[in-house]
Amino acid sequence: MKLICSKSELLKSVNIVMKAVPSKTTMPILQCILIDASANIIKFTSNDMELGIETIVEGSIEEKGIVALDAKIFSEIVRKLPDNDVTIVTDEKQNTTITCEKAKFNIPGQSGEDFSYLPFIEKNEGVQISQFTLKELIRQTIFSIAVNENNKLMTGELFQIANNTLRVVSLDGHRISIRKIPLKNECSDKKVVVPGKTLNEISKILSGETEDMVDIYFAENHILFEFDNTKVVSRLIEGEYFKIDQMLSSDYETKVTLNKKEFLDSIDRATLLVKEGDKKPIIITINDEGMELQIDSQIGSMKEDIDINKMGKDIMIGFNPKFLIDALKVIDDEEIHIYLMNPKAPCFIRDDAGQYVYLILPVNFNSVGR
Amino acid sequence: MKLICSKSELLKSVNIVMKAVPSKTTMPILQCILIDASANIIKFTSNDMELGIETIVEGSIEEKGIVALDAKIFSEIVRKLPDNDVTIVTDEKQNTTITCEKAKFNIPGQSGEDFSYLPFIEKNEGVQISQFTLKELIRQTIFSIAVNENNKLMTGELFQIANNTLRVVSLDGHRISIRKIPLKNECSDKKVVVPGKTLNEISKILSGETEDMVDIYFAENHILFEFDNTKVVSRLIEGEYFKIDQMLSSDYETKVTLNKKEFLDSIDRATLLVKEGDKKPIIITINDEGMELQIDSQIGSMKEDIDINKMGKDIMIGFNPKFLIDALKVIDDEEIHIYLMNPKAPCFIRDDAGQYVYLILPVNFNSVGR
């Protein structure tokens, strides 16, 4: 095999496929990038058996062939090469020479015959959204998937299509994040759970541009994201996702409207008094005077008043400050509405247009002596 | 005590004194910042008993007093406050209230009576250089102090004044770094060893501007750096520094002149084949054709030719690539000269003006089969 590609094109492609190279594996071949120039295009593939990525690399093929190279070493070499044309040559023993200007690297390769190619996904009935939108949907929900694997379904996100609307949901038992966007093209109803890891990795590759599109296709056990010169195929998480609609009550006793940044900054300040692992709640008191935030810990105490617009009953309620911060950080609105029922019931942060809902369960707090 | 200072002034001052707050200590009071407003100025002090910092803070004193506050908590509070005036009030039990806009923090304080003030240094005969120059001198030498404490003198840097020249030297047994600058003012000869930690911390506080000056004063066991509103006092390392002049031979058999960036980039590329802890040397072959760099490791091999201007004998010599990289990174010249004697003798990278010398010992390498 003999290829010539620019360093910048190589670097871009390597960075993309690196996202599906497992850091640990029992199958050493998976720690390679497969360079396939056996046909008329150059294709890089990586596959950790849950997530697989394939990208087409611009360049010229002087001699067809195929080789699997250690992903980490190959990517480091590419990264450090001068900014010029790079020649990759493989001999019959898969020994690979990478030359750029006067620098010449020699590394061993593998035949790639035991490499796992991506599963074939039939492209019928996909949905198309912009890369910006997909990246935003992920960012605005990914923080509330569960980190431990006790309940596999909680480690993924629900991608649900109904009535030409895509709804993305994540939950971890303490909170639920929901984002909705209308779809431009017609699509039949779908309901799949995509691994959080897939979404994290894909979001690093997406351009984030509103003009760049991504096509999403659904298969029995897989989801395919296709954009630019890249295909990302992921396994889905099996099982029936949680019935969240019955948790989304629209009743409330107290409605509060306030400036998001002020609220976020204040909670952020308060949390410096909470050491990691310590479960100090932030106590929110809402009455006709306004909203008071208070936190007490072994380090000290903090109090802050925030201007609000209040409707309904007075309430005193405690929250894990991290959960509030996570949700507030991904809301772009300047002004937000919080809906509360009682100190034992979840609060809802949601917009009037129905684009987002963040449900957060309150925590108990000791109100003795207050 | 009652003070009012702007958040930005507090933050600047806290960041300065934080550099002398020990992360671990057997004397808990040292983990505090002493806020001293007992006279007509506000002064923050920190002291880890080796390094002490004192800085004057702009602000108004409404009620004189003194308090010691946990440095970490105080600095985090200041960092997260809104950008506005901050009021610090301490009651008779040292309970401290920090208020800014509508945010109000309460933290415990200490009387500060067992706090160690900085030692008094008499300011006779100092030298003055720019903050830029001092920062550069440190950056250009600090990397070759020894990391382990087996030989205490190696963990510091020699600051030597002779003939109105300041010479800064560091060495770790494998290499020596020397930088020299002329002094503008007359000064008697001096020879002290300043702890590397002091230099690292001070270099983070220095502005790096050529117009800002720093005054340096020498005492029996201490050195004092005075700049802006800040005093940094450090203990010196006791003992007689190494006699380096006898190691600085100016004889050579081979002189090579080459482009610094090309050489550095090439070594940098080569090192990606060396895993941490692995002691693979880079082999440099110099002959009439030019210079060839080569590295062989379990991962693969790399070879690169570099254009040079050569005078004298051919030579093949091995180096720890890290030592070459460290020195090359801090040399600003586009073109450098390397002086070599034989494969067992140190190489010298030095300029014609005598501003710097970097001595690096070679390593043995197995030349069988080459």
Side-chain angles (χ1 to χ4, degrees), chain B residues 40 43 47 50 64 67 87 107 117 165 194 211 225 235 238 240 248 250 277 353 365:
Chain B
N40 290 319
K43 209 157 63 175
N47 190 351
E50 180 169 284
K64 290 185 180 179
V67 70
T87 308
I107 55 170
Y117 280 85
T165 300
V194 188
E211 312 91 72
F225 299 89
R235 272 185 195 281
E238 285 172 45
E240 182 74 16
L248 302 179
S250 61
F365 59 96

Side-chain angles (χ1 to χ4, degrees), chain A residues 145-146 148-158 169-172 192-196 236-242:
Chain A
I145 61 170
N148 73 49
E149 300 256 321
N150 293 347
N151 188 325
K152 191 80 185 160
L153 281 165
M154 282 194 189
T155 66
E157 297 203 347
L158 177 71
V169 180
S170 70
L171 61 83
D172 66 0
V192 301
V193 183
V194 187
L236 296 170
I237 299 176
E238 285 173 45
E240 182 76 18
Y241 200 69
F242 312 92

